[in-house]
Amino acid sequence: MSLLHHAVRQDPFAGLSRFRGEFYSCLTRRADALFELTDAVLCADGPVRSLVELSLVGEHRRGHGGLYDALAAGRVDVGRLRRALAAVPLPRAADGRLVLAADITCWLRPSAHTSPQRILCHTYGRGKDQHIPVPGWPYSVICALETGRSSWTAPLDALRLAPGDDAATVTARQMRELVERLIQAGQWKDGDPEILIVVDAGYDVPRLAFLLKDLPVQVLGRMRSDRVLRRAVPSYPPGTRGRPARHGGEFVFGDPGTWKTPDAQTVTRTRLYGTAIARAWDRLHPRLTHRSAWTAQFGTLPVIEGTVILLQVDVLPSGATPKPVWLWWSGTDATTPDVDLLWQAFLRRFDIEHTFRLFKQTLGWTCPKIRSPEAADRWTWLILVVFTQLRLARPLAADLRRPWEKPSPVERLTPARVRRDFRHLRPKTACPAGAPKFSQPGPGRPIGRENDRPTPRYDVHRVSKPGPAKQRTKKSTTPRPRRTG
C-alpha cells in the first residue's frame, strides 16, 4: 500500500495535504502559478465563468498575465500525476470490486479557426434524434464508480483524441495502462474480483474485450437494438463429414422468435424504474468479417463469446417511454446474482455524466479560449486534480447550504456543496506554492505597428473509421433493414 493511500485512510487532512504536495511535485515549470490556479478554481465563489476572473480570487496571488503564462508555458509531469491519482483510495462496488467507466466528452471549439487538431464532434440538437457535428477536442475520460445513488466518481485518466485515432483502440490502450498502474499501486491483488469496465453503445464492446483479454478485467457495454449475434456451435455426432461450422444459429435482437428460453432471469422492484426484468442468454458472439476494425487481424478471426442481457423497466425518471436495453458481458455462465450486479453496474455508468456536467458548468473546464491543444491538455489535468481534491475533502466539508436548499447529511454532500467549504479547509492543508515575486510586464508590440506574423489557420478533421480507405460510391436509394452483425 502506498504512503498516499495509507495517509488518506488514517487522516483525511493528512491525505489531502500529501496529495497536494505530490501534485506540486508533478509541476515541473510554472509550478507556483499552476498550483494557485487550481486553488482558485476550488475556492472561487460560484461557477467558473471566465479564466481571467480566477486571478481575482484571493487564493490566487498572481496577476492575470502569470495565469495565462502558466497554461501556455507551464509543464506537468503527466506520468507521475497519473500514478498519484491511481494511488488515492478508490470507491468499490457492493462486492468489493473496482468498476471503471469510460466515455468521451467533447470540448467544443466551433470558432477557434487558429486551433489545430480539432475534430468534428457529434452533439445532440434540440430536435428528436438530431445529431449536429461541431468542431472541438474530444477527450476520453476514465472514472471509478461508486455503488448506490451518487453523483461522485473518481476521475483517473483523460486523453485527447488526435485526428485519425480510433476510439476503441485508444480507449483499450488507455485502459490497459490504467489497470497496470492500479495493480502497481496495490488497488488490485491476486484473488480480488476482476475489474469491471462499463461502456456505452458508442464502443465496440467485443473488440474492447478482445484487446484486453490478457488483463484481469471484464467488459460490460450496451449494444444497439438492431444487432444480430450467433450462438455456439452445437456438438456434432461422430462420423459427421464436411467442414465444421464456426457459428451457430442467429440471435436477432429485434426478433423474439430467435431468443428461446433465457439461461437466467431476475425480477427486481426498484424505486425509480418500477419493476426491472433482466434476462440473460449465455455464449453469444458476433460474426466477425475482414472489414473495418478487423482488417489488421490475419488468419482466422476470433470467436468472442459472452453473455447477452436484456433489461426492461416499467418507467423512467424523466417520464419518457422506456425502451429495452441490450447489454453484452465478456464473461460466461452468468448466475442470477451476476445478472443483478451487471445491470445495476451499467446504470451506475451514467454517474459519469454528472462528473462531466460539473466539469463544464461548475469548474469551468470548457470556458477558457485556449488556442493550443497542449494548453488544453494541461488545463484538463488541473480540472481532474481539482475534482480529486474535492473527493479527498468530502469527509471534512460542512454543509454550507443556501436558505432555499434542503439540509443534507455530510455523507450525502454533492461535489458542488463540498467545493463551497473548501476555502475554509485550505488553510489547514499543505500549500507548497511560494509567494510571487515582483515583476513588470514586457513592452509588447510598439504602438502603431501592425502584426506581421498572422496566426495560421487549421482545417477541421473528420473522424475516420479503422480500416483501408474506400472509394466514394453513389449512395443507394433502396431502403435496407436495420440489421447489423
Side-chain angles (χ1 to χ4, degrees), residues 275-310:
T275 302
I277 302 176
R279 289 174 285 177
W281 291 268
D282 194 25
R283 298 191 178 279
L284 297 177
H285 64 274
R287 182 179 179 179
L288 306 179
T289 58
H290 287 278
R291 293 181 299 178
S292 65
W294 299 98
T295 53
Q297 185 73 25
F298 299 100
T300 304
L301 292 174
V303 174
I304 309 173
E305 290 187 334
T307 300
V308 170
I309 300 175
L310 172 60

Side-chain angles (χ1 to χ4, degrees), residues 473-480:
T473 58
K474 185 177 179 180
K475 186 176 180 180
S476 175
T477 58
T478 304
R480 300 179 61 185

Side-chain angles (χ1 to χ4, degrees), residues 85-86 90 141-144 152-158 178 355 359 381 383-385 387-388 391:
L85 292 175
L90 301 179
V141 182
I142 302 178
C143 300
W152 286 92
T153 62
L156 297 175
D157 194 74
L178 175 59
T355 302
F359 282 0
W381 280 109
I383 295 299
L384 262 65
V385 169
F387 193 91
T388 303
R391 193 165 58 87

Side-chain angles (χ1 to χ4, degrees), residues 124-345:
Y124 289 97
R126 293 182 178 272
K128 181 180 179 181
D129 297 333
Q130 183 179 6
H131 299 269
I132 303 176
V134 179
W137 290 318
Y139 279 83
S140 175
V141 182
I142 302 178
C143 300
L145 303 180
E146 289 191 0
T147 182
R149 298 176 58 205
S150 173
S151 59
W152 286 92
T153 62
L156 297 175
D157 194 74
L159 183 64
R160 178 174 50 85
L161 299 181
D165 285 346
D166 175 41
T169 304
V170 172
T171 303
R173 182 175 67 251
Q174 182 186 14
M175 190 69 70
R176 174 180 298 276
E177 296 173 355
L178 175 59
V179 171
E180 292 175 352
R181 290 195 300 271
L182 293 176
I183 295 176
Q184 294 176 0
Q187 302 283 6
W188 186 90
K189 300 179 291 294
D190 292 336
D192 293 347
E194 291 185 322
I195 301 174
L196 183 62
I197 299 174
V198 186
V199 295
D200 206 2
Y203 294 88
D204 188 348
V205 189
R207 180 166 173 243
L208 188 61
F210 176 77
L211 296 175
L212 301 175
K213 62 180 181 179
D214 58 328
L215 295 177
V217 300
Q218 297 175 353
V219 181
L220 172 67
R222 184 170 60 164
M223 281 188 166
R224 290 173 40 168
S225 58
D226 58 352
R227 294 295 299 267
V228 178
L229 301 186
R230 295 301 185 101
R231 300 181 183 273
V233 178
S235 59
Y236 283 85
T240 303
R241 304 178 65 180
R243 181 180 179 181
R246 301 187 69 241
H247 310 285
E250 289 187 343
F251 185 95
V252 184
F253 287 4
D255 185 6
T258 63
W259 297 354
K260 300 182 180 180
T261 305
D263 298 302
Q265 181 173 345
T266 63
V267 180
T268 309
R269 290 289 303 173
T270 63
R271 189 176 67 88
L272 292 177
Y273 305 100
T275 302
I277 302 176
R279 289 174 285 177
W281 291 268
D282 194 25
R283 298 191 178 279
L284 297 177
H285 64 274
R287 182 179 179 179
L288 306 179
T289 58
H290 287 278
R291 293 181 299 178
S292 65
W294 299 98
T295 53
Q297 185 73 25
F298 299 100
T300 304
L301 292 174
V303 174
I304 309 173
E305 290 187 334
T307 300
V308 170
I309 300 175
L310 172 60
L311 176 63
Q312 294 175 308
V313 298
D314 290 339
V315 295
L316 294 177
S318 61
T321 303
K323 298 180 180 180
V325 177
W326 292 93
L327 306 177
W328 188 89
W329 177 50
S330 60
T332 55
D333 301 326
T335 61
T336 300
D338 292 336
V339 175
D340 273 336
L341 175 67
L342 291 172
W343 72 261
Q344 293 178 23

